[in-house]
C-alpha cells in the first residue's frame, strides 16, 4: 500500500517496455519476476504500458492475489472479464511458459494467509444469511489486516499536512466510494473543519468544484473500474493548482498521476460484495490527523 515508484529490475537499456503482444519483458532486458513483490514492483514502475485487455488483467491481479492463487485459469479469466488466452499471453510477457507457472507467484505469496474456519464452526451456521455475514466480516478483517502489514506512513503524513494546511477541503468520490467521502465530510464538519462534499446532486459536480483555488485541497477516493466522474473532477482541481491527495486501490488508478500523494487501500470482497472497512478506517484516521495538526 504505497505510492512509491519502484524501478523494475533491468539488465539492459535502450528499448522501452513492450506495447506489442507476444514480446516478453525478459527479452527486452527485464529480470523475470521471481516473487509477487517483484511483479508488483514492475507493474507499479510506470514503465510498462499494456493494451486494454492486458491492463484489465494487470488491475485484477494487483487487487485480487488470493483469487488468482486459488482459481483455475477459467475462473480467474471469468472474474477478470477476459479470455483465458489473455491470461496466458500476460504470463508470457513476464517470461513464463503459461499461466500455471505464473500463478505460482501468487500461491507462494498467499501461503499461510488463508485462515480456515473449522468444519464444526461452519456446520453450526444456522442459515445462509449468517454464512454471508461471516463472509463479509472475514472480508473486512482481511482488508484491515493489509493496512496493518503495509501502511505507507510517509504518504499518510503528507496527506495530513496538505489537508491540514488547506483553506477549504473538497471531498470527492462517487459510486462505491461515496459512502466513504460522505462520512469523511460529515466527521470533518463535526470537528469544525470547513469542507465541501462534492455529491453531484442535480448533476452539479463540476459547478461544485468551480470555485476551487490554489489554497484549497482535494481528498479524492476512487476504486476500480475507475469509470466514475471522480478523475474528471480531480483534473479540474489539478489545473487550478490545488493540493490533491487520494485513496485508491492500485497504481493503475487515474488519480495517481493527478495527486501530490496517495494511499493504496485494497478491499476484499465476499460473494461479489466488497468491504469498505479499510477505506473508512483510513478516512477517519485522516480526519483525526487533520484536526490534531490544526489544533496542536
Amino acid at each position: 500500500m504505497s505510492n512509491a515508484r519502484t524501478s523494475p529490475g533491468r539488465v539492459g537499456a535502450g528499448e522501452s517496455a513492450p506495447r506489442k503482444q507476444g514480446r516478453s519483458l525478459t527479452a527486452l532486458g527485464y529480470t523475470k519476476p521471481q516473487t509477487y513483490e517483484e511483479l508488483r514492483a514492475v507493474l507499479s514502475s510506470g514503465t510498462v504500458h499494456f493494451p486494454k485487455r492486458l491492463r484489465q488483467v494487470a488491475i485484477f491481479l494487483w487487487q485480487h492475489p488470493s483469487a488468482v492463487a486459488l482459481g483455475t485459469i477459467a475462473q480467474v479469466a471469468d472474474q477478470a472479464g477476459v479470455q483465458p488466452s489473455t491470461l496466458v499471453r500476460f504470463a508470457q510477457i513476464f517470461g513464463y511458459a503459461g499461466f500455471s507457472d505464473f500463478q505460482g507467484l501468487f500461491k507462494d505469496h498467499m501461503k499461510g494467509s488463508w485462515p480456515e474456519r473449522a468444519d464444526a464452526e461452519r456446520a453450526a451456521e444456522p442459515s445462509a444469511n449468517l454464512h454471508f455475514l461471516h463472509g463479509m466480516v472475514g472480508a473486512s478483517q482481511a482488508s484491515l489486516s493489509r493496512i496493518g502489514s503495509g501502511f505507507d506512513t510517509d504518504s499518510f503524513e503528507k496527506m495530513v499536512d496538505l489537508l491540514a494546511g488547506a483553506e477549504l477541503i473538497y471531498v470527492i468520490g462517487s459510486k462505491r466510494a461515496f459512502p466513504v467521502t460522505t462520512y469523511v465530510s460529515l466527521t470533518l464538519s463535526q470537528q469544525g473543519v470547513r469542507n465541501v462534499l462534492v455529491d453531484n446532486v442535480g448533476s452539479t459536480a463540476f459547478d461544485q468544484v468551480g470555485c476551487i483555488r490554489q489554497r484549497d485541497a482535494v481528498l479524492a477516493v476512487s476504486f476500480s473500474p475507475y469509470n466514475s466522474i471522480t478523475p474528471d473532477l480531480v483534473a479540474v482541481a489539478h489545473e487550478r493548482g490545488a493540493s490533491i491527495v487520494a485513496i485508491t486501490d492500485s497504481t493503475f488508478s487515474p488519480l495517481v498521476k493527478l495527486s501530490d500523494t496517495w494511499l493504496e487501500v485494497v478491499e476484499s470482497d465476499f460473494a461479489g460484495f466488497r468491504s469498505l472497512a479499510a477505506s473508512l478506517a483510513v478516512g477517519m484516521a485522516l480526519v483525526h490527523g487533520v484536526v490534531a495538526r490544526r489544533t496542536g
Side-chain angles (χ1 to χ4, degrees), residues 8-105:
R10 291 205 62 175
V11 294
E15 190 169 359
S16 63
R19 290 180 179 271
K20 296 181 180 179
Q21 300 176 2
R23 301 207 65 187
S24 72
L25 291 175
T26 54
L28 294 174
Y30 286 79
T31 303
K32 177 181 176 180
Q34 300 298 320
T35 65
Y36 173 74
E37 288 71 23
E38 289 180 6
L39 174 65
R40 277 179 61 101
V42 175
L43 293 176
S44 65
S45 67
T47 61
V48 185
H49 303 282
F50 298 107
K52 180 180 178 181
R53 288 301 180 193
L54 295 182
R55 178 183 172 84
Q56 191 172 328
V57 170
I59 293 173
F60 182 82
L61 299 187
W62 182 284
Q63 297 175 348
H64 304 282
S66 61
V68 178
L70 291 171
T72 65
I73 186 171
Q75 290 170 335
V76 175
D78 181 64
Q79 293 175 44
V82 298
Q83 295 296 318
S85 59
T86 306
L87 295 179
V88 174
R89 190 162 73 249
F90 190 91
Q92 290 174 342
I93 283 177
F94 286 90
Y96 285 85
F99 179 73
S100 60
D101 293 337
F102 182 66
Q103 190 179 34
L105 299 180

Side-chain angles (χ1 to χ4, degrees), residues 185-262:
S185 176
L186 172 64
T187 51
L188 284 171
S189 297
Q190 290 175 333
Q191 297 299 318
V193 179
R194 294 178 64 245
N195 72 94
V196 174
L197 173 63
V198 181
D199 55 17
N200 198 29
V201 172
S203 300
T204 59
F206 286 98
D207 297 304
Q208 290 176 305
V209 300
C211 295
I212 196 167
R213 296 179 295 180
Q214 190 171 2
R215 290 173 290 180
D216 300 328
V218 168
L219 169 58
V221 184
S222 180
F223 306 114
S224 66
Y226 314 124
N227 58 359
S228 69
I229 195 175
T230 301
D232 294 333
L233 295 170
V234 173
V236 172
H238 184 266
E239 291 173 0
R240 302 281 180 84
S243 299
I244 299 170
V245 302
I247 297 172
T248 191
D249 55 4
S250 85
T251 189
F252 299 98
S253 169
L255 295 186
V256 169
K257 292 181 180 180
L258 296 170
S259 301
D260 295 289
T261 190
W262 64 284

Side-chain angles (χ1 to χ4, degrees), residues 98-121:
F99 179 73
S100 60
D101 293 337
F102 182 66
Q103 190 179 34
L105 299 180
F106 297 84
K107 290 181 177 179
D108 291 342
H109 172 68
M110 298 304 298
K111 221 172 256 186
S113 63
W114 299 313
E116 292 291 338
R117 293 169 53 222
D119 291 339
E121 184 182 351

Side-chain angles (χ1 to χ4, degrees), residues 156-171 184 188 193-194 215-220 243-246 283 286-287 289-290 293-294:
F156 177 81
E157 293 297 339
K158 184 175 180 181
M159 290 174 78
V160 170
D161 286 339
L162 291 174
L163 293 174
E167 186 172 294
L168 183 62
I169 298 173
Y170 287 78
V171 189
V184 167
L188 284 171
V193 179
R194 294 178 64 245
R215 290 173 290 180
D216 300 328
V218 168
L219 169 58
S243 299
I244 299 170
V245 302
L286 284 172
V287 172
V290 168
R293 196 69 51 89
R294 286 191 171 194

